[in-house]
Amino acid sequence: MQDATSNRFRVYSELRSRICLLDYPPGTRLSEETLAAEFGTSRTPLRRVLARLEDEGLVQSIHGVGTIVTDVDIEEMLHVYDLRMELAQLAGSLSPIDITDQTIQAVRHFHNQSEALKRDPTARAFAQLNMAFFHFGLTLSNNVALRDMSERLYYKTARIWLKSISKMDLAAEVDIFCREIEETQNAIVNGDTSAAALIRRAHISMCVHRLRKS
Amino acid sequence: MQDATSNRFRVYSELRSRICLLDYPPGTRLSEETLAAEFGTSRTPLRRVLARLEDEGLVQSIHGVGTIVTDVDIEEMLHVYDLRMELAQLAGSLSPIDITDQTIQAVRHFHNQSEALKRDPTARAFAQLNMAFFHFGLTLSNNVALRDMSERLYYKTARIWLKSISKMDLAAEVDIFCREIEETQNAIVNGDTSAAALIRRAHISMCVHRLRKS
DNA sequence: TCACCCTCCGTTGTACACAACACGCGACTC
DNA sequence: GAGTCGCGTGTTGTGTACAACGGAGGGTGA
């Protein structure tokens, strides 16, 4: 057992992940008591985590009913996507990092993983890799505020893609993702964070278009 | 007594206001029990409010010590200001509102109030009017996500100005603020939200420069 | 005189009991 | 038979006692 803060973050992170990977699909009723028991704590600290998830719009607590995982709809989230695109682009101009060998190695790692995914594509593994690659994208700017806001907005919309993938062509999506990583790798190797940011923005935009059509 | 949610927001809003108006200067130790008594509740719901303020960086709770109002430093906040400027500008291009007579009337109201402030300037009244005018600026975009993020960042930095005003020329600052409102009024009357957003961005930028010199 | 320790006090963190509330089901009434 | 009331059950919200912890102050020994 660590100190309270890190333990809280662990629980928060785990629940957020379950919600965004649809382990808890929209409409699921979470029981405070059950979750508290699972994480080996009591309702009080767990409620603090749920309160944060509620502030971020991932769950909704209703007195006398339960804590319910919210539903997400692409049309309602268009505003969020608009902002996410702008923030993605800003990552290239607001305090961009100096690219080191470590950065290049990281993007190569993602390239390898995306190729492996192409050979054995599953929706869940794809979503997880996408999430990890998003976090890598955050590290391209040193602006902490930008990172925080981007992350918050990302998790607000992360479920939409996974909810729609059954109606889309998984192999084609993986292919597009692979190419995004390749393009990003080219930009990073050339030390061009600005280009990497624009690539990211473009792919968010295209992804929204594909999602709306499905 | 209203329902839990609105009551919680009332307490949150009040505490945030006290912190940002320096009723609780940085370093102040807040007592959960005292505050709970003041708002006629118990520690439990009050702690939820403090938890949110802690997530937003306005206070810090330390086990065994207390809940302490954080200090803010302009140099640490430069990243936040950078992002705030970008968001201010985006308010003009991301889902800008259609300007109605109501909007024009609102900005006229601020103009009048700023003129009144010029006649009897106090730092606190200035800070309050500035805050109100900021909230007006938020209404210029229909993008809810943009509004939320802008507000969050604004309150992160709001105290810096008030902390430095004693070392600056209050009358001159009021004058600049009056002109900002006048310029905004011109833009709004012409139906040009984009220009209003750029004016706002410019004034944030200039304000940061003045603050760093003081 | 200084360094160390120990105890006391106030604070935040946690656990738990109870209140407030929503929903469903069954009985009762018309 | 339909509508309505009331109660039981399960949930979140609140209050409160206690545990965990940090710091200050005084005492003690070298």
Side-chain angles (χ1 to χ4, degrees):
Chain A
M1 179 75 72
Q2 305 259 358
D3 67 325
T5 304
S6 67
N7 196 37
R8 190 162 56 222
F9 182 76
R10 189 177 60 85
V11 175
Y12 164 76
S13 186
E14 174 63 26
L15 288 182
R16 187 180 64 177
S17 174
R18 289 183 191 176
I19 291 171
C20 291
L21 291 175
L22 300 189
D23 294 333
Y24 298 144
T28 306
R29 222 181 52 193
L30 306 177
S31 162
E32 296 182 350
E33 208 141 358
T34 308
L35 287 175
E38 179 191 339
F39 290 108
T41 177
S42 81
R43 277 181 62 209
T44 308
L46 194 117
R47 276 176 62 74
R48 175 156 178 182
V49 171
L50 289 179
R52 177 163 171 190
L53 290 171
E54 185 170 15
D55 283 341
E56 295 174 354
L58 298 188
V59 303
Q60 185 185 12
S61 288
I62 305 174
H63 190 183
V65 178
T67 302
I68 291 150
V69 177
T70 55
D71 199 0
V72 284
D73 172 58
I74 175 106
E75 299 302 323
E76 294 170 9
M77 287 290 161
L78 290 180
H79 280 171
V80 179
Y81 277 114
D82 281 344
L83 186 51
R84 275 192 60 198
M85 285 190 278
E86 299 290 346
L87 294 184
Q89 182 174 346
L90 284 173
S93 54
L94 247 48
S95 314
I97 60 167
D98 291 329
I99 291 179
T100 64
D101 286 348
Q102 202 181 352
T103 316
I104 295 174
Q105 211 167 351
V107 71
R108 288 232 167 89
H109 178 64
F110 281 110
H111 184 56
N112 292 337
Q113 288 204 285
S114 71
E115 290 295 331
L117 183 69
K118 212 191 282 187
R119 289 190 293 274
D120 176 24
T122 69
R124 191 192 171 83
F126 187 4
Q128 281 178 317
L129 187 57
N130 198 332
M131 211 175 275
F133 186 64
F134 169 79
H135 276 104
F136 165 76
L138 288 184
T139 65
L140 293 181
S141 167
N142 282 317
N143 189 315
V144 179
L146 176 62
R147 291 214 293 253
D148 287 349
M149 299 295 120
S150 299
E151 182 174 351
R152 206 179 161 91
L153 295 175
Y154 172 76
Y155 281 104
K156 243 179 147 67
T157 58
R159 291 174 287 166
I160 295 179
W161 179 89
L162 197 47
K163 248 185 57 176
S164 306
I165 191 63
S166 59
K167 288 176 279 180
M168 300 164 74
D169 183 351
L170 180 60
E173 290 291 318
V174 173
D175 228 54
I176 292 170
F177 182 58
C178 280
R179 260 177 293 163
E180 178 184 354
I181 293 187
E182 276 170 31
E183 291 173 60
T184 305
Q185 182 172 330
N186 288 338
I188 295 289
V189 168
N190 289 326
D192 193 343
T193 49
S194 178
L198 285 168
I199 290 164
R200 178 111 198 96
R201 177 182 181 148
H203 273 86
I204 295 173
S205 177
M206 292 188 288
C207 183
V208 170
H209 277 83
R210 292 199 305 277
L211 283 169
R212 293 186 78 182
K213 276 186 200 151
S214 73
Chain B
M1 180 76 71
Q2 305 258 358
D3 67 322
T5 305
S6 67
N7 197 36
R8 190 162 56 221
F9 182 75
R10 190 178 58 85
V11 175
Y12 164 75
S13 185
E14 174 65 26
L15 288 182
R16 186 179 65 178
S17 173
R18 289 183 190 176
I19 292 171
C20 290
L21 291 175
L22 300 189
D23 295 333
Y24 298 143
T28 306
R29 221 181 51 193
L30 305 178
S31 162
E32 295 182 351
E33 208 142 356
T34 307
L35 287 175
E38 179 191 340
F39 289 107
T41 177
S42 80
R43 279 181 60 209
T44 308
L46 195 116
R47 276 175 63 74
R48 175 155 177 183
V49 171
L50 289 179
R52 177 161 172 192
L53 290 171
E54 184 170 16
D55 283 340
E56 295 174 354
L58 298 188
V59 304
Q60 185 185 13
S61 287
I62 305 174
H63 191 183
V65 178
T67 302
I68 291 151
V69 177
T70 55
D71 200 359
V72 283
D73 173 58
I74 176 106
E75 299 301 325
E76 294 171 8
M77 287 290 160
L78 289 180
H79 281 171
V80 178
Y81 276 114
D82 282 343
L83 185 51
R84 277 192 59 199
M85 285 189 276
E86 299 290 345
L87 295 183
Q89 181 174 346
L90 284 173
S93 53
L94 249 46
S95 314
I97 60 166
D98 292 328
I99 290 179
T100 64
D101 287 347
Q102 202 182 353
T103 317
I104 295 174
Q105 212 168 349
V107 72
R108 288 234 167 89
H109 178 66
F110 281 111
H111 185 58
N112 291 337
Q113 289 204 285
S114 72
E115 289 296 331
L117 183 69
K118 210 192 281 187
R119 289 190 293 274
D120 176 25
T122 69
R124 191 192 171 85
F126 188 4
Q128 281 177 317
L129 188 57
N130 198 333
M131 213 173 274
F133 186 64
F134 169 78
H135 275 105
F136 165 76
L138 288 184
T139 65
L140 294 181
S141 167
N142 282 317
N143 189 314
V144 179
L146 176 61
R147 290 214 293 253
D148 286 350
M149 298 295 118
S150 299
E151 183 175 350
R152 206 178 160 91
L153 294 175
Y154 172 76
Y155 282 105
K156 242 178 145 69
T157 57
R159 292 174 286 168
I160 294 179
W161 179 89
L162 197 48
K163 248 184 60 175
S164 305
I165 190 62
S166 59
K167 286 176 279 179
M168 299 164 75
D169 183 350
L170 179 60
E173 290 292 319
V174 173
D175 227 53
I176 292 169
F177 182 58
C178 279
R179 261 177 292 164
E180 179 184 354
I181 292 187
E182 276 170 30
E183 290 173 60
T184 305
Q185 182 172 330
N186 289 338
I188 295 288
V189 168
N190 289 327
D192 193 344
T193 49
S194 177
L198 285 168
I199 290 163
R200 178 108 199 99
R201 178 183 179 145
H203 273 88
I204 295 173
S205 176
M206 290 189 289
C207 183
V208 170
H209 277 85
R210 291 199 304 277
L211 283 169
R212 292 186 77 181
K213 276 186 198 148
S214 73

